[in-house]
Amino acid sequence: MEKALSTAAVVGAVLVSLLFFEPELAVRVAAQPRAVPRTSWDGKPDLTGVWRGAKLNARAYGLAELERLYQPSAKEKMKSLTEKDDPINRCVVYGYPRRMATSFPIQIVQAVGTMVLFDNRPHIYRYIPTDGRSHTEDLFPSYQGDSVGRWEGDTLVVDVTTLNGRVWLAGAQDHPTPAGIGGWITSDASHLVERWRLLDANTLEYQATVEDPKVLTGPWTTPKIVLKRAPVRKLEPEGHCIPEGIDYQSPSLK
């Protein structure tokens, strides 16, 4: 016991000396990666927290490879699409994996047998069961589909089906090459597999594979997207979405 107290005292004295005489080094020591937090009920990595968006450009998001995978018929349709056709301008959800490449934060709450993702734009959530259940049958296709998660070691693998094909994989302005095409469309045959993994207590890694036989010639896998933990415990500020073409200005300001 005395030895343990002595060791703690020495460590404390070293940190204090760093703070006063080597402040920059002290900051670096404090910023060292911390161990992955784990849940009390099953010992799996605990992804709970608020995570900053990655804000990737077209190349970092892997759009050059995605562009090569679109079928000729899909490319013809995409050429006629502009930013005004982007579903998010009608306050439709971004959809995944596009959502993970934006600058907006997400909040994750992990509980027994489930994980819930909260989005501040436009006030939506994803419910991901992790209790071993299979996909729900006879669901109506939706923007975010039906998610089912399972653990492979310390990686949460989420399988997403029953998508409605009304979200884009990127924006019309996201061009990996000067001759890039327009909207990055999907179809109702889209299938998504996500992999979520904590690298340390403050670093979340995300990667997704998209299969869509109606518009793509093969599967597209995103680069590994890294998100950092935010210092707050809630989504701030609250996001608002005004549909394209709606006059939201107060009459008193006109």
Side-chain angles (χ1 to χ4, degrees):
M1 180 67 176
E2 291 181 356
K3 183 177 180 181
L5 290 174
S6 176
T7 301
V10 170
V11 172
V14 170
L15 291 176
V16 169
S17 65
L18 286 174
L19 178 62
F20 282 97
F21 300 107
E22 295 288 345
E24 292 184 2
L25 180 58
V27 170
R28 291 199 298 272
V29 170
Q32 290 298 310
R34 295 186 290 114
V36 170
R38 295 182 179 274
T39 60
S40 60
W41 54 89
D42 61 5
K44 296 298 184 183
D46 189 355
L47 280 61
T48 298
V50 177
W51 302 92
R52 297 189 186 97
K55 198 176 182 179
L56 301 181
N57 60 33
R59 288 191 176 276
Y61 183 38
L63 292 186
E65 174 62 21
L66 175 59
E67 190 172 56
R68 287 192 288 269
L69 289 172
Y70 272 102
Q71 299 175 13
S73 58
K75 287 184 178 180
E76 284 301 314
K77 180 178 180 179
M78 293 159 65
K79 287 178 182 178
S80 65
L81 299 175
T82 67
E83 192 170 350
K84 290 184 178 180
D85 299 305
D86 194 329
I88 66 169
N89 288 325
R90 297 190 299 276
C91 293
V92 169
V93 302
Y94 270 81
Y96 289 75
R98 182 183 181 185
R99 178 62 184 80
M100 301 300 287
T102 69
S103 61
F104 303 112
I106 62 169
Q107 184 170 14
I108 297 176
V109 177
Q110 195 166 325
V112 178
T114 187
M115 187 172 86
V116 183
L117 276 66
F118 294 96
D119 195 336
N120 69 331
R121 187 192 188 278
H123 312 301
I124 57 171
Y125 69 93
R126 282 180 65 190
Y127 174 75
I128 304 173
T130 58
D131 56 3
R133 74 181 68 180
S134 57
H135 285 287
T136 304
E137 297 183 1
D138 301 324
L139 277 182
F140 190 80
S142 62
Y143 291 101
Q144 299 197 101
D146 182 46
S147 296
V148 171
R150 69 180 188 279
W151 288 98
E152 291 185 359
D154 283 349
T155 299
L156 179 62
V157 180
V158 180
D159 190 83
V160 187
T161 61
T162 325
L163 293 155
N164 63 14
R166 297 180 182 178
V167 298
W168 289 6
L169 296 174
Q173 75 282 6
D174 297 324
H175 293 159
T177 62
I181 49 184
W184 304 79
I185 61 175
T186 61
S187 80
D188 58 3
S190 183
H191 173 225
L192 177 65
V193 177
E194 304 170 302
R195 302 182 72 85
W196 303 75
R197 184 169 71 102
L198 281 179
L199 301 182
D200 57 56
N202 298 315
T203 310
L204 176 63
E205 181 185 85
Y206 173 91
Q207 189 171 36
T209 297
V210 178
E211 295 178 303
D212 198 333
K214 288 186 178 180
V215 296
L216 299 178
T217 60
W220 171 60
T221 299
T222 70
K224 293 179 179 179
I225 300 174
V226 175
L227 288 80
K228 288 294 184 178
R229 187 183 296 276
V232 293
R233 301 299 296 176
K234 62 180 180 179
L235 294 180
E236 295 180 336
E238 183 179 278
H240 294 279
C241 180
I242 306 298
E244 182 75 19
I246 298 297
D247 184 0
Y248 62 90
Q249 188 177 18
S250 170
S252 63
L253 299 177
K254 293 183 178 179

